[in-house]
Structures are given as C-alpha cells and as structure tokens.
Amino acid sequence: MNTMRALILTQYGGPDAIQVASAEAPTAGPGQALVRVRAAGVNGLDWKVREGYVRDAFPLQLPTTLGIELAGVVEAVGPGVTGLREGDRVMGPLGGLGAYADLVAVNAANLAIIPDALSFVDAAALPVAAVAAWQSLHFAGPIHAGQRILIHGAAGGLGGFAVQFAHQAGAEVFATALSEHADYVRGLGADHVIAYDLEQFEASARDIDLVLDYVGGEVLARSWSVLAEDGAIVSTASPAILSNTPAGRRGLWFVNTPDTARLQAIADDVADGRLRSKVAAAVRFDELPAAIERNRTQPQVGKTVVDFAL
C-alpha cells in the first residue's frame, strides 16, 4: 500500500483531536486529477470542523483528513479529464475536506492554473478566501457605487479581499480590525477603519446597506442595529443567522462554492499587482495543529499557509 502524510481528525474536540498520521494514498478517479500538494491554506473552517461546530451543516464520518484548499503539481489525471496534464501547477478548493495530505484526488473542474509569477505558497492562499470574498460580497444582490458596506474581520484573508472588491466596485467601505492592523486595512481601500479594540463600531457605522460578517458571535448580534431598513447581513461565521434573524430583517448564511473562472481571474490580478494577497505565515506540516489553533484564538493579517517543502 502506498502511504502518505495526512492531518487526521479522529474525534471532535480541541487541538489534540487532530494529528499527523500515515494514510493510504489516493488515485485519480473519473473527472479527477491527482495532485502532489506543495502548499495548503489554513482556514477558520478547520477548527470549526475540529470542534464540531458545523457538524450539522457538514456531517462527517470520522476519522477524516482536514484541509479545504491546495496548490501543487498534477501527477496524473483520471478518465475524462482533458483540460489538465501531468506537470501542471494548479490550485483550487476541494469542495470538501482532505487538502492536508501529500497527495489529493481533486475534481479537475475545481482546479485553476497557477500564474508563473506566483509561488505555491502564494497560490494556496487564494482558492477559498478570495473566491468566498467575491461571492459573499455579491450574495445579497448586485453591488453598486455609493453603497455603504461594513466588513467585519477586514484584516484576515477573507476580509482583506472583500475590502478590495468593495472598494473597486465604488462602495463606501467601513471595516473593523485591530488598531495595529488599521493601516494595512486602510491601504486595501477601506474608507473608514474602526479599531474594535478601541471603539464600538456602532459609534461610527450607520445606515449600512450590507454587512459582511466574517466574525460571528456578539459582533453579528450587534450588527443589526447599524443596518439600513432594507439592508442585509451576509454571514460566513454563524449558520444560526437563519434562525436568529430579527423579524423584518434580512440575514443570509453563505457557503462558498468552487468557481474556477473567478479563481483564475483573481490569481491573474494578484500576479499582475491589481489585487493584494498577504501570507501572514508559512508553517511546516507538523505545525498544522498549532496553526489551526492560532487561527481560532489570534486575529491575524492575511492567511497562514502550510508549506510542504519546509
């Protein structure tokens, strides 16, 4: 049996619930590409899955391999795959779990070609955060110039792209972040940066047309008070928004879906300097459990990526 490294979730719980272990290497099935993973992005969904917070939305059979996005090299393609070939540098979301492994069988339709100017680490930071930012921004309806948009968690990988997309659309962008991250968020195009460790966002944000909630919890609960009468809140952090939306209000739960054409366009924009993507840290494979826990407990600028070459 061919074996490989994988980060395995054995049971729901804290950091000790996941461990690096040997697993059976997959093969490429129909419509799939077998990818040798070179880097993978760390996401908030990792610890939410680990702790069982989203077990109803994403039921799993344990043990399972964590990780939802990757960058690497195509080693083989399965029957019916025509757009990729062995040796291609590719990136993409899995549309499920399993990216934290040396080899992954991925639906070929989810994979985009990595621009020459981007490293594997650069590319691994894009598939989930960048596409989810675009999709969540447009989830409640078209965006137009002059809209007032409030983005919570604006310094993170997801929020940083949302700020840029909203700014490029001509919206008036309000963004919450730690005071030490304010200059970074302002540099992405935010018109108003609210340092949540120094002030309440309710004091500055009023008549907001769209709230992008990438934080959840009490931040979401407080956001209803700043919403315009016909405004909407889109949350990626709180599935309970569907049952907790106040009467007469509009609250939407967003789940990312693969969009290869959008990912390719965003990656080209990053490679050409039209969009900024920030990798906060690159960690070793054996540091993944600690990196996932830091994602849960420590606000960061940009994304953490596991570099399989370290």
Side-chain angles (χ1 to χ4, degrees):
M1 180 180 70
N2 293 325
T3 60
M4 61 178 185
R5 292 177 304 173
L7 187 72
I8 306 295
L9 174 68
T10 57
Q11 61 185 1
Y12 293 119
D16 294 340
I18 51 178
Q19 58 189 19
V20 177
S22 293
E24 183 177 358
T27 57
Q32 292 184 324
L34 182 67
V35 177
R36 172 72 62 177
V37 182
R38 299 294 182 84
V42 175
N43 291 277
L45 188 61
D46 295 332
W47 63 263
K48 293 173 186 176
V49 169
R50 184 197 72 192
E51 300 205 355
Y53 288 146
V54 292
R55 70 176 74 184
D56 293 333
F58 305 103
L60 299 175
Q61 183 175 353
L62 302 181
T64 192
T65 301
L66 292 182
I68 60 175
E69 63 183 335
L70 56 76
V73 178
V74 174
E75 287 216 340
V77 296
V81 176
T82 58
L84 296 173
R85 60 187 178 183
E86 183 180 342
D88 281 346
R89 296 192 334 136
V90 294
M91 58 185 169
L94 267 63
L97 300 179
Y100 295 147
D102 287 314
L103 287 165
V104 179
V106 189
N107 288 335
N110 289 4
L111 296 172
I113 298 296
I114 299 173
D116 291 341
L118 298 185
S119 69
F120 289 114
V121 168
D122 294 331
L126 300 179
V128 170
V131 174
W134 176 272
Q135 291 180 344
S136 59
L137 177 65
H138 294 84
F139 194 60
I143 301 301
H144 56 78
Q147 275 185 299
R148 293 163 65 86
I149 297 176
L150 171 61
I151 300 169
H152 291 306
L158 184 54
F161 277 108
V163 169
Q164 294 178 80
F165 293 143
H167 172 72
Q168 290 176 351
E172 183 177 1
V173 181
F174 296 75
T176 63
L178 275 175
S179 55
E180 63 190 85
H181 301 156
D183 287 342
Y184 168 72
V185 174
R186 195 172 290 110
L188 297 177
D191 299 289
H192 314 279
V193 180
I194 304 166
Y196 65 77
D197 52 330
L198 300 178
E199 61 178 311
Q200 300 285 297
F201 64 83
E202 297 94 325
S204 303
R206 290 283 189 276
D207 298 318
I208 300 297
D209 299 302
L210 175 65
V211 175
L212 296 178
D213 167 44
Y214 302 143
V215 177
E218 56 93 17
V219 170
L220 171 58
R222 289 162 48 205
S223 294
W224 298 107
S225 68
V226 305
L227 203 60
E229 185 175 349
D230 58 350
I233 297 181
V234 174
S235 180
T236 67
S238 298
I241 190 174
L242 295 176
S243 56
N244 293 339
T245 297
R249 291 298 199 174
R250 189 178 181 210
L252 303 172
W253 163 238
F254 170 81
V255 177
N256 188 41
T257 56
D259 183 342
T260 306
R262 178 62 57 189
L263 173 59
Q264 192 73 68
I266 290 170
D268 290 342
D269 281 347
V270 172
D272 292 339
R274 291 185 293 270
L275 284 171
R276 291 173 62 183
S277 176
K278 184 174 181 63
V279 174
V283 301
R284 300 190 312 267
F285 196 89
D286 62 355
E287 294 176 319
L288 259 174
I292 290 170
E293 181 64 4
R294 283 195 300 275
N295 183 281
R296 184 182 74 86
T297 60
Q298 299 177 18
Q300 64 180 2
V301 173
K303 291 266 294 192
T304 296
V305 173
V306 53
D307 184 346
F308 283 51
L310 293 178

